[in-house]
C-alpha cells in the first residue's frame, strides 16, 4: 500500500516547495515540527552536534559557519532545525520550560541527535535565537528606502518573537540595558531604523538579548545572505549595490563586534561571496562550499544510504530504483567518495509517488521549481561557452578552472555582461570562468570523474533543464541583442 499525504504534508509542500513570493519572511521553527512528521523526512539532526559541540569540530572560538550550496539541497530546512532545537521555550507565566517539557524535546527525542544525552540536556531550548531569512529583501529594488523598510520589517518580526522585551523601559530596567538600546527597540517597533542603525542592528540586538537573558549567548542564523546580490535587476544599479553593501555591513558588524554575546553563527547562501567578506573582516570562519569534502557534506542533499532507506520505506521495486538513480543521481564530491541527490527533487518524487499508483512512477524534472527558465540563455550567446555547452549536453566532461570564491566585483561584471551584446566579447575566453562558476554554484554542474578541475552535467534531470535553456536561447535570443528586460538571474 502506498502512503497517502496528510493535510499538514500538503501545507508544508505549499510553503516549502513552490516559488517564494517577493516578501520578507522569517525562519519558522514550527515548519520543522511538521516536516519531521512526514513519511519522506530524512533525519539530518546529527548536524547539531557540529554546531553545539566544539569538540566535534576542534573549534576553540565562537563557531562561524558559512554554508554554500544551490537551491533545493536543504539549507533552509537545516536552519529551521537548528532554530527548533536551540530556541528558548516558555510557560504561560513567562518562566522557561524544563527541557523535557519543550516542543523541541518531543521532536528531537525521536531523532539521531537524541543519542547525545549531554548535548541534549546542555543545549536544547537553551538559547535566544535570531533567525533571519533575507529572501525577498531587495528583490524589487527601485529605491534603497523601500529596501530599508523591508529590513526594518524583518528585524521587527524578530523583536516580536521576544515579547518579554516589551517590559524593558528606562524606569523599570534591571538588565543593564542602556537608554540607547531601549531607543533602538522603540524605533524598531515603529520600523524606523535608519541605515546606520540597520548596519549595527544585529550587533545591538544580540547585546540586548544577552543582557536580558542573564548573559545567555545568542545563536544567529541567516539564510540566503547573498539573495540581494543574485536577485537584483540584470544590471546591479547603484540602489542594488547600496543594498548589497548595507546587508554585507550588517552581517560584518555582527561578526566583528559582540563575539562575547554569541554562541554560534550559521550563514547559508548559494554563492561563495562569503569568502570576500571573510578576507575583509580578517575573521577565522569555516567555509563549507558545495561538493567539497567536509563534515557537513552529507547534511546537504540526500546520500545514497538515505535514498535506499526511502526506497525500502516506500517498498520500491528494483526497476523503480534503477529509474530514480538514472534520473536524479550524479552530484559527486571533489574527492569522488560521495554521491548526493538534490533534496527537493527526491522529496517531491516521493510526495507525488505517495499520491499515485506505484505503477505510475513520477520520474519528472522537479528541479525546475528551484530555478527559472532563461538564466543561462545569455551565456549561450558566447561562442566559447556554446561550444562547451554542447559538449556538456553530449554527456562529455569539460576541464575548466572554476573560481573557488566569488567577489562582488566579479558578480557585478557578470551582471554587466548579461546586459551587453555578447558579440562584443565573443573572442574573450576570460569570461568563461565566470560562466562556469555560476553554473556550478547554481547546481548545473558537478565534479566529473578522473582529473581535478573536470566537470559534467550531474544527471538526466539537469540535462533536460539545459536542453530547455538551449531551446529558450534559440527561440528568444539567437540573432537578437540581449537587453536588461530579457534576463534576471534566478528570477
Amino acid at each position: 500500500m502506498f502512503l497517502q499525504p496528510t493535510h499538514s504534508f500538503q501545507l508544508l509542500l505549499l510553503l516549502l516547495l513552490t516559488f517564494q513570493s517577493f516578501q520578507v519572511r522569517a525562519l519558522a521553527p514550527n515548519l520543522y515540527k511538521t516536516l519531521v512528521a512526514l513519511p519522506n523526512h530524512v533525519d539530518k539532526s546529527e548536524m547539531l552536534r557540529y554546531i553545539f559541540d566544539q569538540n566535534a569540530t576542534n573549534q576553540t572560538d565562537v563557531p562561524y559557519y558559512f554554508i554554500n550550496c544551490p537551491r533545493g539541497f536543504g539549507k533552509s530546512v537545516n536552519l529551521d532545525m537548528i532554530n527548533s532545537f536551540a530556541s528558548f521555550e516558555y510557560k504561560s507565566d513567562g518562566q522557561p520550560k524544563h527541557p523535557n517539557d519543550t516542543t523541541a524535546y518531543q521532536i528531537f527525542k525521536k531523532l539521531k541527535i537524541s543519542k547525545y544525552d549531554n548535548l541534549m540536556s546542555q543545549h536544547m531550548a537553551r538559547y535566544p535565537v535570531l533567525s533571519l531569512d533575507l529572501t525577498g529583501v531587495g528583490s524589487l529594488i527601485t529605491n534603497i528606502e523601500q529596501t530599508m523598510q523591508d529590513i526594518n520589517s524583518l528585524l521587527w518580526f524578530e523583536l516580536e518573537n521576544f515579547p518579554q522585551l516589551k517590559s524593558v523601559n528606562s524606569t523599570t530596567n534591571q538588565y543593564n540595558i542602556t537608554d540607547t538600546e531601549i531607543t533602538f527597540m522603540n524605533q524598531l517597533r515603529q520600523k524606523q531604523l535608519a541605515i546606520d542603525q540597520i548596519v549595527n542592528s544585529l550587533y545591538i540586538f544580540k547585546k540586548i538579548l544577552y543582557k536580558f537573558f542573564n548573559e545567555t549567548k545568542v545563536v544567529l542564523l541567516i539564510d540566503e545572505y547573498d539573495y540581494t546580490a543574485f536577485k537584483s535587476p540584470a544590471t546591479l544599479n547603484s540602489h542594488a549595490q547600496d543594498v548589497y553593501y548595507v546587508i554585507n555591513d550588517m552581517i560584518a558588524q555582527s561578526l566583528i563586534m559582540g563575539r562575547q554575546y554569541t554562541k554560534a553563527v550559521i550563514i547559508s547562501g548559494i554563492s561563495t561571496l562569503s569568502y570576500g567578506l571573510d578576507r575583509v573582516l580578517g575573521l577565522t570562519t569555516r567555509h563549507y562550499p558545495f561538493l567539497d569534502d567536509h563534515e557537513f557534506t552529507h547534511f546537504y542533499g540526500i546520500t545514497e544510504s538515505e535514498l535506499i532507506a526511502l526506497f525500502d520505506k516506500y517498498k520500491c521495486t528494483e526497476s523503480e530504483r534503477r529509474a530514480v538513480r538514472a534520473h536524479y543521481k550524479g552530484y559527486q564530491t571533489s574527492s569522488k567518495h560521495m554521491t548526493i541527490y538534490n533534496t527537493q527533487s527526491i522529496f517531491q518524487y516521493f510526495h507525488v509517488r505517495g499520491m499515485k499508483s506505484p505503477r505510475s512512477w513520477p520520474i519528472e524534472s522537479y528541479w525546475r521549481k528551484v530555478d527559472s527558465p532563461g538564466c543561462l540563455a545569455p551565456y549561450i550567446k558566447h561562442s566559447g561557452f556554446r561550444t562547451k555547452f554542447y559538449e556538456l549536453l553530449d554527456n562529455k566532461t569539460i576541464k575548466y578552472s572554476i573560481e573557488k570564491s566569488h567577489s562582488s566585483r566579479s558578480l557585478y561584471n557578470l551582471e554587466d555582461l548579461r546586459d551587453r551584446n555578447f558579440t562584443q566579447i565573443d573572442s574573450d575566453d576570460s569570461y568563461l570562468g565566470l560562466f562556469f562558476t555560476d553554473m556550478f554554484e547554481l547546481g548545473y554542474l558537478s565534479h566529473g570523474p578522473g582529473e581535478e578541475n573536470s566537470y559534467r552535467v550531474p544527471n538526466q534531470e539537469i540535462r533536460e533543464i539545459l536542453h530547455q535553456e538551449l531551446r529558450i536561447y534559440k527561440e528568444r535570443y539567437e540573432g537578437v541583442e540581449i537587453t536588461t528586460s530579457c534576463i534576471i538571474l534566478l528570477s
Side-chain angles (χ1 to χ4, degrees), residues 215-490:
E215 299 187 354
T216 302
K217 294 186 176 182
V218 178
V219 174
L220 176 61
L221 310 176
I222 300 177
D223 197 15
E224 304 288 4
Y225 76 92
D226 52 357
Y227 180 91
T228 300
F230 278 92
K231 263 293 191 184
S232 54
T235 300
L236 275 175
N237 56 42
S238 60
H239 294 313
Q241 293 189 35
D242 287 343
V243 170
Y244 171 73
Y245 285 124
V246 168
I247 290 175
N248 220 37
D249 289 347
M250 178 177 71
I251 295 173
Q253 285 293 95
S254 175
L255 299 183
I256 294 172
M257 303 171 67
R259 294 175 74 93
Q260 69 269 36
Y261 311 130
T262 309
K263 176 61 183 177
V265 177
I266 303 92
I267 301 175
S268 69
I270 294 174
S271 73
T272 49
L273 280 170
S274 57
Y275 279 86
L277 180 64
D278 196 27
R279 285 193 294 269
V280 171
L281 300 182
L283 295 174
T284 304
T285 58
R286 296 197 168 205
H287 294 268
Y288 296 94
F290 181 51
L291 294 182
D292 274 16
D293 290 277
H294 47 69
E295 58 263 42
F296 283 166
T297 302
H298 60 290
F299 296 127
Y300 291 88
I302 303 296
T303 66
E304 184 66 31
S305 61
E306 289 166 343
L307 181 64
I308 290 172
L310 286 170
F311 282 151
D312 292 343
K313 180 183 288 188
Y314 281 81
K315 297 180 170 54
C316 297
T317 65
E318 284 303 317
S319 58
E320 183 180 2
R321 296 177 190 222
R322 286 194 297 272
V324 169
R325 289 192 175 99
H327 201 75
Y328 303 114
K329 184 176 181 178
Y331 288 99
Q332 281 193 322
T333 60
S334 54
S335 69
K336 319 298 192 293
H337 290 156
M338 184 185 298
T339 298
I340 62 173
Y341 299 76
N342 182 286
T343 305
Q344 184 113 314
S345 297
I346 297 301
F347 188 93
Q348 290 202 63
Y349 170 79
F350 283 106
H351 164 59
V352 175
R353 187 194 187 282
M355 295 190 296
K356 294 184 177 182
S357 162
R359 295 183 180 181
S360 305
W361 300 328
I363 304 292
E364 300 175 14
S365 293
Y366 300 108
W367 197 83
R368 172 56 73 205
K369 294 194 185 333
V370 295
D371 197 9
S372 59
C375 68
L376 295 182
Y379 301 168
I380 301 174
K381 199 170 180 68
H382 186 289
S383 61
F385 178 84
R386 191 161 60 249
T387 299
K388 297 288 187 183
F389 190 81
Y390 280 124
E391 291 178 15
L392 291 168
L393 288 180
D394 200 29
N395 208 23
K396 293 179 180 177
T397 298
I398 64 168
K399 189 170 174 60
Y400 215 89
S401 179
I402 286 180
E403 296 289 333
K404 286 296 184 183
S405 62
H406 247 322
S407 68
S408 57
R409 180 175 296 277
S410 70
L411 184 63
Y412 297 151
N413 288 342
L414 198 61
E415 294 283 359
D416 182 56
L417 291 175
R418 293 189 190 95
D419 208 26
R420 294 166 53 188
N421 187 333
F422 272 80
T423 57
Q424 298 173 7
I425 55 155
D426 202 28
S427 60
D428 190 345
D429 287 347
S430 64
Y431 294 104
L432 293 180
L434 286 175
F435 299 160
F436 290 119
T437 299
D438 207 31
M439 283 189 72
F440 182 76
E441 291 185 345
L442 293 174
Y444 292 105
L445 296 179
S446 172
H447 294 288
E451 0 176 21
E452 189 179 357
N453 292 328
S454 63
Y455 298 91
R456 61 177 174 77
V457 178
N459 53 45
Q460 183 59 29
E461 182 181 40
I462 302 301
R463 191 168 291 105
E464 289 180 6
I465 300 301
L466 295 182
H467 275 290
Q468 291 178 26
E469 292 292 314
L470 183 60
R471 284 196 295 272
I472 290 171
Y473 160 72
K474 286 180 175 295
E475 292 170 2
R476 300 183 184 176
Y477 308 127
E478 197 163 41
V480 178
E481 183 175 344
I482 300 174
T483 65
T484 57
S485 61
C486 294
I487 291 300
I488 297 178
L489 177 64
L490 290 176

Side-chain angles (χ1 to χ4, degrees), residues 131-280:
S131 54
L132 307 180
D133 186 339
L134 297 180
T135 302
V137 172
S139 58
L140 299 173
I141 300 173
T142 56
N143 61 75
I144 193 168
E145 288 76 17
Q146 179 57 51
T147 306
M148 294 306 101
Q149 190 63 32
D150 288 348
I151 299 176
N152 265 283
S153 296
L154 185 61
L155 294 170
W156 169 84
F157 190 93
E158 284 303 299
L159 185 62
E160 291 295 292
N161 283 337
F162 300 98
Q164 306 93 328
L165 293 175
K166 292 180 179 178
S167 65
V168 178
N169 57 61
S170 55
T171 57
T172 60
N173 182 3
Q174 55 184 322
Y175 308 101
N176 200 30
I177 295 174
T178 66
D179 288 344
T180 300
E181 291 160 353
I182 292 172
T183 300
F184 167 85
M185 288 191 288
N186 290 335
Q187 288 182 298
L188 180 53
R189 289 189 181 104
Q190 299 173 38
K191 302 180 185 178
Q192 292 181 352
L193 294 184
I195 289 179
D196 60 333
Q197 292 174 301
I198 286 174
V199 167
N200 289 296
S201 60
L202 292 182
Y203 160 65
I204 296 172
F205 212 151
K206 283 196 304 181
K207 185 162 61 167
I208 292 170
L209 292 174
Y210 176 82
K211 291 178 180 180
F212 185 86
F213 291 107
N214 299 315
E215 299 187 354
T216 302
K217 294 186 176 182
V218 178
V219 174
L220 176 61
L221 310 176
I222 300 177
D223 197 15
E224 304 288 4
Y225 76 92
D226 52 357
Y227 180 91
T228 300
F230 278 92
K231 263 293 191 184
S232 54
T235 300
L236 275 175
N237 56 42
S238 60
H239 294 313
Q241 293 189 35
D242 287 343
V243 170
Y244 171 73
Y245 285 124
V246 168
I247 290 175
N248 220 37
D249 289 347
M250 178 177 71
I251 295 173
Q253 285 293 95
S254 175
L255 299 183
I256 294 172
M257 303 171 67
R259 294 175 74 93
Q260 69 269 36
Y261 311 130
T262 309
K263 176 61 183 177
V265 177
I266 303 92
I267 301 175
S268 69
I270 294 174
S271 73
T272 49
L273 280 170
S274 57
Y275 279 86
L277 180 64
D278 196 27
R279 285 193 294 269
V280 171

